Amino acid sequence: MELKTILEALYRNRSQAHLANDPLSFCHRYQDPPDQEVAGLVASSFAYGNVKIIKKNLAVIFEVMGPSPRRFVERFDPEEGSRLFAGFKHRFNDARDLCALLFACRIMIEEGGSIEKWLLRFYTPADEDLTGALSGFSEAVKNLDLSPVFGPGGVPADSYFPFFFPSPASGSACKRLCMYLRWMVRPADGIDLGIWQGISPAQLVIPVDAHIQRICRFLGFTSRKQADWRMAREITRALRELDPADPVKYDFSICHLGISEGCDGKDRLKCAACPIGDICSAGPT
């Protein structure tokens, strides 16, 4: 099949330069899976906006967290955290939201032993995908007792902590959570980590950002215009036809056509040299 052949070639041509230009690169700083698991949730949570700013702000966070993110969150004290991260800002998330995220990680590890085991409480192996697991996980995290961070009144209205945990139940594409799960669940291949064994890669849903939305429309994987959960599932089902066991295998490669290679579907010179130009509706005619 021409489509699968071209996407397989695109997958093989992923590079460490692409990885260096991706928030996932922060997980590769650590060798121990418990550190990678925590680093992944933090890195993916702030993976929105300009990639240079994302990397800059993540570098600040991980510098403070030190050599072991897992050990840092196990010992995390919100009062101390407010001093350590004073002045932190990433678009509309601030130091208070970051401290709440780190404290939530601490609670999940204390209650479940790991973030994976805590999430698995909401997972059903027989489900087509992770719609139910993500919905349950997000709602449960938002219902944690975060009063040591926010005070007895709960998460205040002006906090953007809930932004870290969108839910398919609300129609959100849940891009950052789907990306985190891809990093953790897909088999280790030099890019993704494959450190979670309790979830099947066949159930992953593609993280839909602006690049995936645009390029997958060009490839005919979706006809929808809104980047929502329905689009994410539609694209994933199309990819599942190519690889039922690993449908989000091509996500990183496709996404970096935009992030690292500058694909916007408008530059004809780039289209002419694009590795998927022959199958892309925006490609050279």
Side-chain angles (χ1 to χ4, degrees), residues 193-232:
L193 300 167
I195 61 173
W196 284 9
Q197 302 301 311
I199 295 173
S200 169
Q203 293 171 288
L204 292 172
V205 176
I206 195 167
V208 175
D209 65 359
H211 303 293
I212 290 295
Q213 177 186 13
R214 182 181 64 256
I215 296 170
C216 285
R217 279 177 58 84
F218 292 158
L219 292 175
F221 292 151
T222 181
S223 58
R224 295 183 58 79
K225 295 182 179 180
Q226 184 175 354
D228 56 12
W229 190 247
R230 289 178 64 186
M231 174 184 277

Side-chain angles (χ1 to χ4, degrees), residues 63-233:
E63 176 67 23
V64 173
M65 294 181 77
S68 174
R70 167 68 178 242
R71 189 159 55 248
F72 183 86
V73 299
E74 285 178 329
R75 302 171 179 176
F76 183 72
D77 174 70
E79 186 175 344
E80 181 186 15
S82 67
R83 295 192 297 270
L84 290 172
F85 296 107
F88 175 83
K89 187 78 173 177
H90 180 71
R91 296 189 68 182
F92 41 79
N93 285 119
D94 58 18
R96 183 178 53 173
D97 298 333
L98 170 57
C99 287
L101 176 65
L102 296 174
F103 191 64
C105 287
R106 174 183 154 181
I107 295 173
M108 286 188 274
I109 290 169
E110 287 176 347
E111 292 183 353
S114 68
I115 298 172
E116 177 191 15
K117 290 179 181 177
W118 200 84
L119 183 150
L120 283 174
R121 297 187 301 169
F122 313 101
Y123 171 66
T124 302
D127 286 351
E128 176 190 359
D129 58 33
L130 298 178
T131 299
L134 272 181
S135 296
F137 173 72
S138 290
E139 291 311 308
V141 173
K142 287 183 285 191
N143 285 324
L144 291 174
D145 179 8
L146 301 176
S147 58
V149 177
F150 293 118
V155 180
D158 65 345
S159 169
Y160 282 90
F161 170 76
F163 175 76
F164 293 142
F165 297 98
S167 173
S170 68
S172 171
C174 303
K175 185 266 288 191
R176 287 163 293 121
L177 285 176
C178 286
M179 187 166 61
Y180 175 55
L181 289 169
R182 194 204 84 209
W183 297 353
M184 298 296 109
V185 172
R186 275 206 69 251
D189 60 0
I191 301 293
D192 293 321
L193 300 167
I195 61 173
W196 284 9
Q197 302 301 311
I199 295 173
S200 169
Q203 293 171 288
L204 292 172
V205 176
I206 195 167
V208 175
D209 65 359
H211 303 293
I212 290 295
Q213 177 186 13
R214 182 181 64 256
I215 296 170
C216 285
R217 279 177 58 84
F218 292 158
L219 292 175
F221 292 151
T222 181
S223 58
R224 295 183 58 79
K225 295 182 179 180
Q226 184 175 354
D228 56 12
W229 190 247
R230 289 178 64 186
M231 174 184 277
R233 297 185 86 186

